[in-house]
Amino acid sequence: MNHRTFNSLIAAATLLSAGAALANAPAEKPAQLKIACVGDSITFGARIENREANCYPAQLGALMGEKATVKNFGVSGTTLLKKGNKPYWKRPQYKAALEFNPDIVVIKLGTNDTKPDNWKHKSEYVPNYVALIESFRKLPSKPEVWVCYPVPAYPNKGPISGTVVKEEILPMIDEIAKQTGVKIIDLHTPLANQQALFPDSIHPNAAGAKIIAETVKAAIAGK
């Protein structure tokens, strides 16, 4: 065997070895969807036992499995209204949600806006909501944004008004969806007449959060 033939055989063997290695290599995993859950205490999971595992974003993450990374950017007491007593806009979680550069954003805000001191600014609810949606749409990831009908309040709890949620917030969210083209996730209907799942009349328990997670998953999965 001459030197040239030997080198040719070595080169061929190397190529075969590399091909075999590629064939046996594990398939590259598809990129996970990044889902940002934006909202108030109901998103955060306030008053839920074992909140880290039982808040709705955590349960949504479990339902999505390896398909998605779900992060909870909920902040208790926050309002959609910029002139509210605790605007979500001013919380570090809002900035963190933007920096997450998500593929999907699920917004559930409005419950705290019904408090009289906040709702006196109700004429700004729709434009403020549109601005929040657009702030996410401008991200490099160009996320799909979903807005949620708030869950019921039974019927009114302190300054929070379940009546305002049902009779005013829901129609305003319809208008927001019309203006922006976003889709709505109805969290109000599946939790209507489910007061037993709301120990303090405002915050759902783990079972209520499960219904929220299942409803959100069904919506974003197109079911």
Side-chain angles (χ1 to χ4, degrees):
M1 182 184 295
N2 62 37
H3 185 70
R4 182 176 297 175
T5 302
F6 179 79
N7 285 343
S8 297
L9 289 173
I10 290 296
T14 301
L15 288 171
L16 286 171
S17 177
L22 286 171
N24 294 325
E28 185 176 341
K29 291 184 178 180
Q32 288 185 320
L33 281 173
K34 295 164 67 177
I35 303 175
C37 298
V38 170
D40 49 32
S41 57
I42 295 168
T43 295
F44 177 73
R47 306 193 181 188
I48 293 179
E49 185 176 354
N50 191 13
R51 182 195 72 81
E52 291 79 6
N54 289 325
C55 64
Y56 106 71
Q59 296 201 54
L60 175 62
L63 290 171
M64 296 298 294
E66 294 184 356
K67 296 178 182 178
T69 297
V70 181
K71 288 199 174 183
N72 186 344
F73 296 101
V75 187
S76 295
T78 49
T79 65
L80 183 282
L81 287 162
K82 291 183 178 182
K83 292 182 180 177
N85 65 330
K86 190 176 179 181
Y88 188 81
W89 301 84
K90 296 182 179 181
R91 302 299 113 188
Q93 288 86 347
Y94 170 53
K95 181 180 179 182
L98 293 172
E99 291 175 347
F100 183 48
N101 201 33
D103 300 298
I104 296 174
V105 181
V106 180
I107 305 173
K108 197 220 76 64
L109 285 165
T111 301
N112 294 304
D113 295 270
T114 69
K115 298 174 182 178
D117 285 348
N118 297 325
W119 203 233
K120 64 186 179 183
H121 304 294
K122 66 180 181 179
S123 64
E124 300 179 34
Y125 186 82
V126 170
N128 284 179
Y129 214 137
V130 171
L132 183 66
I133 291 166
E134 293 306 319
S135 73
F136 282 104
R137 282 180 162 174
K138 292 176 182 176
L139 292 172
S141 60
K142 304 296 182 185
E144 181 179 17
V145 181
W146 296 77
V147 297
C148 299
Y149 286 159
V151 301
Y154 287 101
N156 301 302
K157 179 68 173 179
I160 290 175
S161 172
T163 303
V164 171
V165 168
K166 184 176 181 179
E167 297 182 1
E168 299 189 60
I169 292 282
L170 269 57
M172 286 184 176
I173 290 178
D174 289 337
E175 176 60 26
I176 290 158
K178 183 179 178 181
Q179 287 189 24
T180 61
V182 299
K183 294 180 181 179
I184 296 171
I185 301 175
D186 181 3
L187 301 181
H188 198 273
T189 300
L191 287 162
N193 303 313
Q194 297 275 11
Q195 189 166 359
L197 301 181
F198 292 75
D200 66 352
S201 299
I202 299 297
H203 300 92
N205 59 17
K210 181 181 179 182
I211 291 174
I212 294 175
E214 290 172 342
T215 304
V216 171
K217 179 181 183 291
I220 63 179
K223 297 181 181 179

